[in-house]
Amino acid sequence: TQCKIKISNTADLNIFDVSDATFTIATPITVTSPNGGENWIGCATMPITFSKSSCIQYFNIYYSTDNGATWNSITSALSNNGLATQTYSWQVPNGITSNQALIKVEDYYYTAANVDVSNAVFNINPSNDITVTSPNGGQTWQGLSTQAITWTNLPSASGQYVLQYSLNNGSTWTNIASNVTGNSYNWSVPNSPSTTCLIKVYDYVNNCKFDVSNAVFTINAPQPLLTAPNGGEVLQVQCTNTITWNASTFFSSVRLDYSLDNGVTWTNITTSTSNDGTQNWTVPATANSTQCKIKISNTADLNIFD
């Protein structure tokens, strides 16, 4: 705000003139909102406002949730509207909890020279339009069982929902059902053992609105089921017989073993075969016993067997 111009004769620098009074060179960009202390909620559309030079052509806008340690892009190459101030309507991402949020606006071409950041941090909190109530952490559900997924909602939710589950603490998601109404869904739990499971429920009409289980729950493997030979059969040596099992009760390829001493010792038939429910087995010539058994295991966890 203390600027002046001086003009001189190059032939005699002692002959010059200076501006009669000071003038101002404006800050190229000034973030005006959010500028510290605001409380913004996920899924809400909020105004990011800033004043800027009319000479800047395009702007990049970023947000940070860690007081500027890292930045996430909101928009790039936003055109200058030609006015002294400009507003960008931002739909606040959901699922964020931070009291260290900042907004940064920068010149698209001169990112280091022309830039401004919120003067102080503001808050971002998740939307509570939808709240998962079960499973919400700590439960142990059996694969292949039927369990109730439940949630609550505010009137701001559409009443139509999409349900998903994760087996890896939210890294990836798999659909359960779409366009579900009400606040409960009976889920046929998959035979996919994991200790880091989560449920997500989001709005079918506006997928910004969602909630996830507060903590992980567990899916346990069901008891595997061998169906034949399962006791009392008489097999002939050197003849081919069919071993069968309920494939839905297994979650990986399977291992097959046989015992001639009622399970005291075991001999391998195959270390891994497809979980298709059937395997042909030629009874060895040396397998002469009345104490025979077949054992079938998940190759992914040999402790889970029948």
Side-chain angles (χ1 to χ4, degrees):
T1 61
Q2 298 293 303
C3 304
K4 284 190 173 184
I5 294 290
K6 177 181 180 182
I7 184 168
S8 314
N9 284 282
T10 58
D12 187 345
L13 297 181
N14 291 316
I15 302 173
F16 62 87
D17 191 31
V18 175
S19 307
D20 290 344
T22 60
F23 63 94
T24 295
I25 298 176
T27 302
I29 301 170
T30 301
V31 175
T32 54
S33 177
N35 211 28
E38 296 87 351
N39 293 291
W40 286 6
I41 302 298
C43 298
T45 299
M46 304 301 294
I48 298 171
T49 60
F50 55 97
S51 58
K52 81 288 186 202
S53 167
S54 60
C55 298
I56 299 175
Q57 293 179 283
Y58 303 104
F59 303 92
N60 298 328
I61 304 178
Y62 302 88
Y63 75 95
S64 173
T65 58
D66 51 16
N67 198 24
T70 59
W71 294 95
N72 306 285
S73 178
I74 295 174
T75 188
S76 178
L78 175 69
S79 295
N80 194 321
N81 64 3
L83 303 176
T85 62
Q86 189 156 343
T87 298
Y88 180 84
S89 295
W90 178 43
Q91 186 178 61
V92 182
N94 200 8
I96 294 174
T97 301
S98 173
N99 58 5
Q100 298 286 301
L102 294 169
I103 292 293
K104 176 170 69 174
V105 181
E106 66 183 18
D107 186 328
Y108 179 79
Y109 292 111
Y110 301 99
T111 57
N114 298 337
V115 61
D116 191 42
V117 176
S118 309
N119 288 350
V121 295
F122 64 99
N123 304 310
I124 298 178
N125 288 297
S127 155
N128 61 351
D129 299 276
I130 300 168
T131 302
V132 174
T133 53
S134 180
N136 209 28
Q139 295 86 349
T140 298
W141 287 357
Q142 196 81 8
L144 304 183
S145 68
T146 299
Q147 302 289 341
I149 299 171
T150 60
W151 62 94
T152 60
N153 66 277
L154 298 179
S156 50
S158 71
Q160 299 166 276
Y161 307 97
V162 176
L163 279 60
Q164 296 182 323
Y165 72 93
S166 174
L167 301 175
N168 50 20
N169 200 23
S171 294
T172 59
W173 294 92
T174 302
N175 277 351
I176 296 172
S178 182
N179 201 9
V180 176
T181 58
N183 294 100
S184 179
Y185 181 83
N186 289 328
W187 180 37
S188 296
V189 181
N191 186 4
S192 302
S194 171
T195 59
T196 55
C197 305
L198 294 170
I199 290 293
K200 178 195 288 186
V201 179
Y202 68 84
D203 195 308
Y204 178 78
V205 176
N206 181 358
N207 60 17
C208 178
K209 299 178 179 180
F210 69 87
D211 190 40
V212 176
S213 308
N214 287 351
V216 296
F217 66 98
T218 296
I219 295 176
N220 278 343
Q223 174 59 42
L225 184 61
L226 176 75
T227 52
N230 209 27
E233 297 90 346
V234 176
L235 308 186
Q236 301 297 324
V237 297
Q238 296 184 305
C239 291
T240 299
N241 295 272
T242 302
I243 300 170
T244 63
W245 62 93
N246 184 337
S248 69
T249 63
F250 290 83
F251 60 89
S252 68
S253 58
V254 300
R255 173 188 172 109
L256 293 166
D257 299 276
Y258 73 93
S259 173
L260 301 178
D261 53 15
N262 197 22
V264 176
T265 60
W266 294 94
T267 301
N268 185 244
I269 298 172
T270 178
T271 56
S272 180
T273 188
S274 175
N275 181 27
D276 56 9
T278 183
Q279 175 75 15
N280 289 330
W281 176 47
T282 300
V283 180
T286 56
N288 187 1
S289 171
T290 61
Q291 297 293 302
C292 304
K293 285 192 171 182
I294 293 290
K295 177 181 180 182
I296 184 169
S297 314
N298 283 284
T299 57
D301 188 344
L302 297 179
N303 293 313
I304 303 175
F305 62 85
D306 190 28

